[in-house]
Amino acid sequence: MAGTCKIVGPSLANMPWEDKPAGCGEVMWRYSANPIIPRDLIPFSNSIFNSAVVPYKNGFAGVFRCDDKNRQAWIHSGTSKDGINFEIDPEPIKFVCDEPEIAEYLEAYDPRVCWIEDRYYVTWCNFYHGPTIGMGYTHDFKTFTQIENAFLPYNRNGVMFPRKIDGKYAMVSRPSDTGHTPFGDIFYSESPDLCYWGKHRYVMGTSIGWQSKKIGAGPVPIETSEGWLLFYHGVLNSCNGFVYSMGAALLDLDKPWKVIYRTKPYLLSPQTLYECVGDVPNVVFPCAALTDADTGRIAVYYGCADTVTGVAFCQLDELMDYMKKHSF
Ligand code: BMA
């Protein structure tokens, strides 16, 4: 059961969950039947990976990155009764948008979904003369409305906070470049209206080892009694290419650009066959988390080797203890 640090949010008794296997000494453990979404779940997909899942009605819904057999990236809507078995719309999301200037797009990838007040906001890596943060919202995962891109190109990994902070919408993002971006730090920005973003603050940058090349925010930050829990990806530039792993940081509740803890070791790195072998080998890329406030249970959805989707679990108390012992 939950201990001293509490998740601030609703209970989620029906969340997909498995207890830690006997003998597992890690803070995070994988779902036993990973990957949960195969690359070919819909007819024209090459791969289904960096995707976002949220609680919806009595089950779950989400926005999924599906690269097609032209090898173009699109985002698709989907639903699930149990958070493990998904039905994904074979057609990409077509946003309703009254601004033709931004409505045409070449690709869309790495979605995050965030419930704020009365709707689900979607952020994704959009193309507007280079990668930037696309934004839209839905009430029902059927009709999606596109609003203004949050930032100028080049930017990736735009992740909203699930409530206003100091009266403003809040987002973390990772300014980047046109290509595979051999650098990258996380910044915080705020907006009064989801159109104009500013008051940019530096949150954290690269560090040693697994997070030495670039970092980027993962799932929507989880509000806890001790701070915002942010899972993020970190990249190592090995002699065989980039290696993407997952860590976590705890950010100040009122000033989220202030980092309280940050894991020095990774929490999950590519070690299984489906994480090490695929279209882009050695990638663990978290994009969503489900939480149960009653028990402190957390399920993280992550892309595996840019090919399939997996789930890993942890317990808030155990993670907090670990972060306190293994932070910079
Ligand atoms: C990043 C993004 C992700 C991808 C990762 C590993 O730059 O493009 O979509 O999962 O690279 O290839």
Side-chain angles (χ1 to χ4, degrees), residues 184-261:
D185 300 342
I186 297 176
F187 288 81
Y188 176 89
S189 308
E190 64 173 45
S191 171
D193 56 3
L194 295 175
C195 182
Y196 299 99
W197 291 88
K199 226 172 160 183
H200 310 294
R201 296 284 182 271
Y202 177 82
V203 180
M204 60 185 189
T206 54
S207 171
I208 57 156
W210 68 272
Q211 44 188 334
S212 55
K213 181 50 73 178
K214 54 180 171 175
I215 59 171
V220 167
I222 298 164
E223 185 168 6
T224 77
S225 50
E226 296 188 26
W228 294 103
L229 175 61
L230 177 71
F231 290 96
Y232 66 98
H233 68 258
V235 180
L236 164 83
N237 196 9
S238 78
C239 59
N240 197 33
F242 287 166
V243 178
Y244 282 70
S245 304
M246 183 188 334
L250 194 74
L251 311 179
D252 184 84
L253 280 176
D254 301 322
K255 296 186 166 88
W257 53 92
K258 293 195 182 302
V259 179
I260 304 168
Y261 302 114

Side-chain angles (χ1 to χ4, degrees), residues 5 12 15 32 62 75 92 107 144 194 201 210 227 236 241 253 266 278 288 297 324:
C5 184
L12 192 63
M15 75 182 295
S32 58
I75 54 177
E107 281 195 308
F144 290 80
L194 295 175
R201 296 284 182 271
W210 68 272
L236 164 83
L253 280 176
Y266 60 71
R297 299 181 300 184
K324 287 173 187 173

Side-chain angles (χ1 to χ4, degrees), residues 238 240-245 270-272 275-278 280-284 305:
S238 78
N240 197 33
F242 287 166
V243 178
Y244 282 70
S245 304
Q271 296 185 4
T272 64
E275 294 160 351
C276 297
V277 177
V280 182
N282 304 318
V283 179
V284 156

Side-chain angles (χ1 to χ4, degrees), residues 49-50 65 109-110 156 180 214 244 280 283 285 306:
F49 50 114
N50 306 341
R65 171 175 177 171
Y109 60 85
D110 297 355
R156 290 185 171 92
H180 295 291
K214 54 180 171 175
Y244 282 70
V280 182
V283 179
F285 196 95
D306 283 13

Side-chain angles (χ1 to χ4, degrees), residues 308-328:
V308 294
T309 305
V311 178
F313 304 110
C314 64
Q315 247 286 340
L316 180 66
D317 275 343
E318 206 185 330
L319 175 58
M320 290 295 297
D321 284 349
Y322 187 82
M323 287 176 76
K324 287 173 187 173
K325 288 191 191 114
H326 299 281
S327 273
F328 289 100

Side-chain angles (χ1 to χ4, degrees), residues 76-287:
H76 293 232
S77 179
T79 54
S80 171
K81 288 193 172 67
D82 58 8
I84 296 291
N85 297 288
F86 284 88
E87 284 181 21
I88 297 180
D89 185 342
E91 292 299 320
I93 292 171
K94 289 188 185 64
F95 286 90
V96 176
C97 181
D98 55 16
E99 272 293 337
E101 187 72 21
I102 58 162
E104 196 181 321
Y105 48 113
L106 300 169
E107 281 195 308
Y109 60 85
D110 297 355
R112 273 62 163 199
V113 180
C114 184
W115 170 262
I116 310 175
E117 290 167 359
D118 64 348
R119 66 193 71 184
Y120 299 92
Y121 287 94
V122 185
T123 52
W124 69 93
C125 181
N126 199 4
F127 264 72
Y128 183 74
H129 305 279
T132 185
I133 308 304
M135 290 194 70
Y137 63 82
T138 184
H139 294 280
D140 58 7
F141 288 88
K142 292 190 180 96
T143 303
F144 290 80
T145 303
Q146 188 175 353
I147 56 178
E148 290 291 330
N149 294 319
F151 304 117
L152 289 169
Y154 308 100
N155 202 315
R156 290 185 171 92
N157 299 298
V159 181
M160 294 192 71
F161 285 71
R163 65 166 170 81
K164 289 179 178 170
I165 297 171
D166 199 20
K168 307 285 194 321
Y169 294 99
M171 193 190 303
V172 278
S173 72
R174 211 276 307 287
S176 61
D177 68 8
T178 51
H180 295 291
T181 317
F183 60 88
D185 300 342
I186 297 176
F187 288 81
Y188 176 89
S189 308
E190 64 173 45
S191 171
D193 56 3
L194 295 175
C195 182
Y196 299 99
W197 291 88
K199 226 172 160 183
H200 310 294
R201 296 284 182 271
Y202 177 82
V203 180
M204 60 185 189
T206 54
S207 171
I208 57 156
W210 68 272
Q211 44 188 334
S212 55
K213 181 50 73 178
K214 54 180 171 175
I215 59 171
V220 167
I222 298 164
E223 185 168 6
T224 77
S225 50
E226 296 188 26
W228 294 103
L229 175 61
L230 177 71
F231 290 96
Y232 66 98
H233 68 258
V235 180
L236 164 83
N237 196 9
S238 78
C239 59
N240 197 33
F242 287 166
V243 178
Y244 282 70
S245 304
M246 183 188 334
L250 194 74
L251 311 179
D252 184 84
L253 280 176
D254 301 322
K255 296 186 166 88
W257 53 92
K258 293 195 182 302
V259 179
I260 304 168
Y261 302 114
R262 172 182 178 182
T263 51
K264 194 171 177 190
Y266 60 71
L267 293 171
L268 197 77
S269 81
Q271 296 185 4
T272 64
L273 197 61
Y274 55 89
E275 294 160 351
C276 297
V277 177
D279 285 347
V280 182
N282 304 318
V283 179
V284 156
F285 196 95
C287 283

